[in-house]
Amino acid sequence: MTEDLKLIVVELNKLLETDYNLITFDSLSPESLLQVLVDVFHVFGAIEKVDVRENDPEETNALVMEALRKVQYRPAEDIEDPGAFRRGMVRGEKRLIHPILSWMFENRERVKKAAYLAKFLIPLDLPPEAMSMPELGSLWAQYLETMNGFKDAHRAYEQSVHEGTQTRELRNDISAIETEIENVKKRIERTQARLDKVPQQELLLEAANSLRIEKERQKELLQQIDEQRQGLNRANLVHERLQKELHNAKMAVQGATPQNLMESIIEETQVLEFMVQQKLPQELQQRRSEVQTLQEVIDEPNITRGDLQELQQRIDELNREIQRMVEARMADHSTQNDTLGPFRQQAAMVARNKEAAAEQLDQMTKELREVERQLQEKQRQLQETVGEVILRGEDLKQFVNTLRAKSNVYKQQRAELAAVKAEVSDLTQTLENLKSQDPSLSTALSQMTTDEEVSSVGGGQVGEEEGGRSESPITTRGMTELARLVDGLQRAVGAARERVTPLSQQLRPLRERVIELKDEMDSKKQVRCSDV
């Protein structure tokens, strides 16, 4: 809105030679604002010069409306009442005058042309009785003929101006082309002068021509290669889609036999026959009755309060009549022995159960399709994520059996390792207890270890001398046997760890795979239970 107001102020200052700014123009009184509008219309040639203060408001309003009609101005869409628009123009409201000024300045040439043509093309407003006079009738005919002549002359003028503009454009284009031709000739002359100095011109020109032909051929070949690549990509997409469809079809028929397929087709055919012959006709008849009822309601005239009261009375009477008929029917059935009553009740119950089962089947079919769609989407996502073929059927059973055998081996070796660790712990605790009871035992054990190392390198004499120097109450033979036992246990534990470590590393991914397969099996069991 501020931008429009700026445009109006700038254009008014140029057109009327005023010195308005945003504040002074926005603070104009309604009468002054209407005078500004009249002055703008006068400059554009739509009306004569008028002083709003001295002229009658109704006459001023008529002149403004006539000027708006001449310049072909249409009010905004939110202004629907012409009377309110006229009253607002008389009062000089900003919300009406500002858009008019903005539109006129934005379409300056169009407004000038419309105001000029309106002087000659808008017919005079004569009363009907004046046309009965012969003199006025002949003058009116001459007036209309002159108006048509003006239309033709103005149309020819517009065409000549347009053709003149086109002629100037063509002349400019011709001069530009001639200049370009001269430049090209000069370039050709310079190129020819340079070629004259080059030996074997013919060979070079032939080579250049061949090079150009080869480049064009290379461009065509590159385009053909791009087309072939696009075709190959499309073929790959089609192949992948068909492969997925084939995989889905194989999964659907996996484990199926002709007998199972035949039974499923028979069951599906029976269900479809029931749906087509009984359920769908009932629903169709129900929909038709609803449509007929709605059509009757639409065809009925508008209901008044009296009609509603009358309908309510008729409903009450019909309810009372139905109640009497029901009581009479119950009395008749109570007096007579109806042997078919239980069978009718059973038949009605079976029909209701059948209809409920059909509705439940329809709902479960929709849910099954949705679940199958979700399953296919999940399988596609899983295959894209994992990037491997998912094991199913016999392959899955064989993999589970292999995994179970490896798991048993792992458990057995883990039990052996636990037993060895327990034995090592017991022996270590026993050794600690012995050391606590006899502090000289640790010194003897360390001395014995040193003797064994020396004896293994230099012989057994050093061991005998060190054994003779021992002052422990425990004999050398007992300590040697105990040290050998501990050493053997440590070697056994190390060997067991070396055997178990690679097995544990191999079993870690297998254990994770078993957990994933169990989760998948549980989810499939839940899906099958929900389908059943």
Side-chain angles (χ1 to χ4, degrees):
M1 190 63 182
T2 306
E3 297 296 329
D4 296 339
L5 195 60
K6 289 181 180 179
L7 173 65
I8 294 171
V9 172
V10 172
E11 295 296 334
L12 277 177
N13 292 333
K14 293 179 182 179
L15 189 66
L16 303 180
E17 296 182 356
T18 56
D19 55 352
Y20 291 123
N21 54 32
L22 292 178
I23 298 174
T24 56
F25 180 75
D26 192 57
S27 61
L28 288 175
S29 62
E31 192 175 18
S32 301
L33 187 61
L34 187 59
Q35 182 65 48
V36 170
L37 179 63
V38 171
D39 294 339
V40 172
F41 278 132
H42 172 68
V43 173
F44 281 109
I47 58 176
E48 298 296 332
K49 181 69 175 180
V50 176
D51 191 355
V52 176
R53 298 178 181 84
E54 299 177 358
N55 199 15
D56 185 46
E58 293 296 332
E59 185 178 354
T60 304
N61 188 25
L63 291 174
V64 172
M65 291 294 111
E66 183 68 18
L68 290 175
R69 188 167 70 90
K70 288 181 180 179
V71 300
Q72 299 177 359
Y73 174 75
R74 295 182 180 276
E77 296 180 355
D78 56 350
I79 300 175
E80 299 178 355
D81 189 5
F85 181 76
R86 289 177 180 273
R87 291 191 295 272
M89 292 299 298
V90 171
R91 291 192 295 267
E93 294 181 359
K94 296 180 182 180
R95 66 182 185 87
L96 299 178
I97 296 178
H98 285 179
I100 295 173
L101 293 173
S102 177
W103 178 81
M104 291 177 66
F105 290 136
E106 289 177 356
N107 303 276
R108 181 188 296 270
E109 297 298 328
R110 176 182 172 186
V111 171
K112 286 183 178 180
K113 183 178 178 181
Y116 168 73
L117 294 176
K119 295 179 181 179
F120 307 100
L121 298 181
I122 295 179
L124 299 175
D125 189 9
L126 294 179
E129 57 271 11
M131 299 301 296
S132 61
M133 300 175 64
E135 296 82 1
L136 288 178
S138 60
L139 290 174
W140 183 257
Q142 293 178 5
Y143 174 70
L144 294 179
E145 185 177 356
T146 306
M147 186 182 295
N148 292 328
F150 174 77
K151 289 180 181 179
D152 296 336
H154 182 73
R155 189 178 298 109
Y157 169 74
E158 292 288 338
Q159 186 176 0
S160 63
V161 171
H162 182 65
E163 289 178 354
T165 305
Q166 289 183 348
T167 303
R168 287 193 296 272
E169 292 178 357
L170 290 174
R171 287 178 180 174
N172 294 331
D173 293 340
I174 290 171
S175 61
I177 291 172
E178 289 177 352
T179 305
E180 186 67 24
I181 289 173
E182 293 296 331
N183 295 331
V184 171
K185 287 181 178 179
K186 292 179 181 179
R187 291 173 60 186
I188 290 173
E189 291 176 357
R190 289 196 298 269
T191 305
Q192 187 66 35
R194 283 186 292 178
L195 285 175
D196 293 338
K197 300 177 181 179
V198 177
Q200 298 180 353
Q201 299 179 8
E202 298 296 333
L203 295 177
L204 292 177
L205 291 175
E206 290 179 1
N209 188 18
S210 302
L211 179 62
R212 185 174 63 255
I213 293 173
E214 291 298 330
K215 285 184 177 180
E216 293 177 355
R217 184 180 177 186
Q218 182 181 6
K219 187 183 296 183
E220 293 178 357
L221 291 175
L222 291 176
Q223 185 176 1
Q224 292 179 2
I225 289 172
D226 292 336
E227 293 177 357
Q228 294 293 332
R229 286 177 179 174
Q230 293 177 1
L232 181 61
N233 292 332
R234 290 193 295 270
N236 288 331
L237 294 175
V238 174
H239 180 264
E240 290 178 359
R241 180 173 57 82
L242 293 177
Q243 287 288 350
K244 290 180 180 179
E245 292 179 358
L246 178 62
H247 181 66
N248 295 332
K250 288 181 178 180
M251 289 172 56
V253 301
Q254 188 175 5
T257 60
Q259 186 67 25
N260 295 334
L261 294 175
M262 183 64 69
E263 291 178 356
S264 63
I265 292 173
I266 291 173
E267 292 178 358
E268 187 176 358
T269 304
Q270 292 176 354
V271 172
L272 294 176
E273 287 180 355
F274 171 74
M275 297 290 289
V276 172
Q277 295 177 1
Q278 298 185 16
K279 190 174 186 330
L280 294 180
Q282 292 178 0
E283 293 181 356
L284 182 60
Q285 185 64 29
Q286 184 179 0
R287 297 292 186 273
R288 286 177 178 174
S289 62
E290 291 178 357
V291 172
Q292 185 177 1
T293 304
L294 294 174
Q295 187 64 37
E296 291 177 357
V297 171
I298 293 173
D299 295 337
E300 289 291 333
N302 295 331
I303 299 176
T304 60
R305 187 175 297 277
D307 296 335
L308 291 176
Q309 293 177 357
E310 184 179 356
L311 290 174
Q312 187 63 38
Q313 292 177 1
R314 291 179 59 187
I315 291 171
D316 295 338
E317 292 177 359
L318 291 174
N319 287 332
R320 288 194 292 269
E321 184 67 23
I322 290 170
Q323 185 65 27
R324 287 196 298 270
M325 293 175 67
V326 170
E327 291 177 355
R329 185 174 180 277
M330 291 178 65
D332 293 339
H333 281 288
S334 61
T335 56
Q336 298 177 1
N337 187 12
D338 189 7
T339 58
L340 298 178
F343 298 101
R344 291 196 186 96
Q345 293 179 359
Q346 292 180 0
M349 186 181 300
V350 170
R352 287 194 298 271
N353 294 335
K354 193 174 183 180
E355 186 176 358
E359 294 178 356
Q360 186 177 4
L361 176 62
D362 191 9
Q363 183 179 1
M364 295 300 293
T365 303
K366 294 179 181 179
E367 294 179 357
L368 177 60
R369 291 175 182 173
E370 181 65 21
V371 171
E372 288 178 352
R373 185 187 64 79
Q374 294 179 1
L375 178 60
Q376 292 178 359
E377 183 67 20
K378 297 296 184 182
Q379 289 176 352
R380 184 183 62 79
Q381 294 178 0
L382 180 62
Q383 189 171 2
E384 292 177 356
T385 304
V386 178
E388 61 180 6
V389 180
I390 301 173
L391 298 177
R392 296 183 183 278
E394 296 296 331
D395 295 336
L396 180 60
K397 292 180 180 179
Q398 184 178 0
F399 178 75
V400 171
N401 292 330
T402 305
L403 189 62
R404 187 180 293 110
K406 292 183 179 180
S407 178
N408 294 331
V409 174
Y410 167 72
K411 291 179 181 179
Q412 183 179 0
Q413 293 181 354
R414 187 177 60 182
E416 293 178 359
L417 179 61
V420 171
K421 287 182 178 180
E423 188 175 357
V424 170
S425 177
D426 293 340
L427 293 175
T428 305
Q429 187 65 32
T430 303
L431 183 60
E432 293 296 332
N433 294 333
L434 292 174
K435 287 181 179 180
S436 61
Q437 292 177 4
D438 189 1
S440 60
L441 181 61
S442 58
T443 305
L445 289 175
S446 60
Q447 187 68 28
M448 182 178 58
T449 305
T450 305
D451 294 341
E452 289 182 354
E453 291 177 356
V454 173
S455 63
S456 62
V457 176
Q461 294 179 354
V462 178
E464 293 177 357
E465 294 175 359
E466 294 296 333
R469 296 176 185 176
S470 178
E471 298 177 358
S472 174
I474 301 175
T475 61
T476 304
R477 182 179 179 182
M479 288 187 295
T480 303
E481 291 178 356
L482 183 59
R484 289 178 180 176
L485 180 60
V486 172
D487 190 14
L489 290 174
Q490 289 179 352
R491 287 196 297 271
V493 170
R497 286 180 179 176
E498 291 177 357
R499 291 196 307 270
V500 172
T501 300
L503 295 176
S504 62
Q505 293 178 355
Q506 293 178 3
L507 288 175
R508 186 178 296 110
L510 296 176
R511 192 183 306 112
E512 295 176 355
R513 183 64 176 172
V514 168
I515 294 172
E516 293 177 358
L517 291 174
K518 286 183 179 179
D519 295 337
E520 185 178 359
M521 182 178 65
D522 295 336
S523 62
K524 289 185 177 181
K525 284 183 179 179
Q526 292 177 1
V527 171
R528 290 182 178 177
C529 293
S530 61
D531 294 339
V532 175

